[in-house]
């Protein structure tokens, strides 16, 4: 199993036509390259420092959630358990084809957890993450 933490920045990564035209997602591309792996998209929408400052025990009223996406139910369950052990709930965003909803420049990218570079951050509940995922609009038509 692989947790895909990638975010596509064409100015840094070069231009990938299938990402530009929306015919694929970063998670789908990684799955294609790692065909034997079970890829789950996760950790890509939160600033790394907020991972440390926003972790909370299970059941905490101010526990944050992180979105995941993947095509394998068992792999998503394993990632959910791993995130739980780190102090985060998960919100299933669906298959890898839907991981664009948590990419850069979407409502769930960094902002729900507070400003980039500012600690300690703001807890983002599962409901906040679900709403942000639902509000995402494709970058291409």
């Amino acid at each position: 199993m692989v947790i895909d933490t990638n975010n596509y920045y064409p100015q840094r990564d070069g231009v990938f036509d299938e990402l530009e035209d929306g015919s694929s997602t970063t998670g789908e591309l990684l799955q294609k390259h790692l065909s034997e792996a079970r890829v789950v998209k996760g950790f890509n929408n939160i600033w790394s420092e907020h991972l440390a400052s926003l972790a909370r025990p299970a059941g905490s009223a101010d526990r944050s959630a992180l979105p995941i996406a993947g095509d394998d139910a068992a792999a998503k369950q394993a990632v959910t358990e791993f995130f739980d052990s780190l102090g985060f709930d998960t919100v299933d965003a669906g298959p890898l084809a839907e991981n664009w909803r948590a990419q850069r420049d979407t409502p769930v990218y960094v902002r729900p957890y507070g400003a980039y570079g500012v600690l300690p951050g703001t807890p983002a509940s599962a409901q906040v993450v679900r709403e942000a995922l639902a509000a995402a609009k494709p970058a291409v038509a």
Side-chain angles (χ1 to χ4, degrees):
M1 180 184 58
V2 173
I3 300 174
D4 174 13
T5 66
N6 292 304
N7 285 302
Y8 173 58
Y9 286 89
Q11 66 276 20
R12 176 193 71 194
D13 305 329
V15 174
F16 287 77
D17 291 337
E18 57 269 64
L19 297 177
E20 293 291 320
D21 68 16
S23 64
S24 189
T25 66
T26 56
E28 289 174 306
L29 283 182
L30 186 61
Q31 182 65 76
K32 183 178 175 182
H33 289 288
L34 303 175
S35 61
E36 298 299 315
R38 297 174 302 151
V39 173
V40 177
K41 190 73 169 187
F43 282 144
N44 68 300
N45 74 310
I46 187 170
W47 179 44
S48 61
E49 296 294 325
H50 284 156
L51 285 172
S53 67
L54 294 175
R56 304 285 191 276
S60 296
D62 63 344
R63 195 169 202 217
S64 292
L66 299 170
I68 61 170
D71 296 336
D72 184 281
K76 287 199 290 189
Q77 181 60 39
V79 171
T80 295
E81 291 170 9
F82 176 58
F83 282 14
D84 179 56
S85 75
L86 296 176
F88 292 89
D89 291 332
T90 56
V91 172
D92 190 339
L96 286 174
E98 292 294 312
N99 83 75
W100 63 268
R101 294 181 177 280
Q103 291 292 128
R104 67 175 174 83
D105 300 328
T106 63
V108 81
Y109 190 72
V110 181
R111 289 177 281 173
Y113 311 100
Y116 178 84
V118 178
L119 290 173
T122 305
S125 69
Q127 184 62 32
V128 166
V129 170
R130 272 193 286 284
E131 290 170 2
L133 288 168
K137 303 289 184 229
V140 294

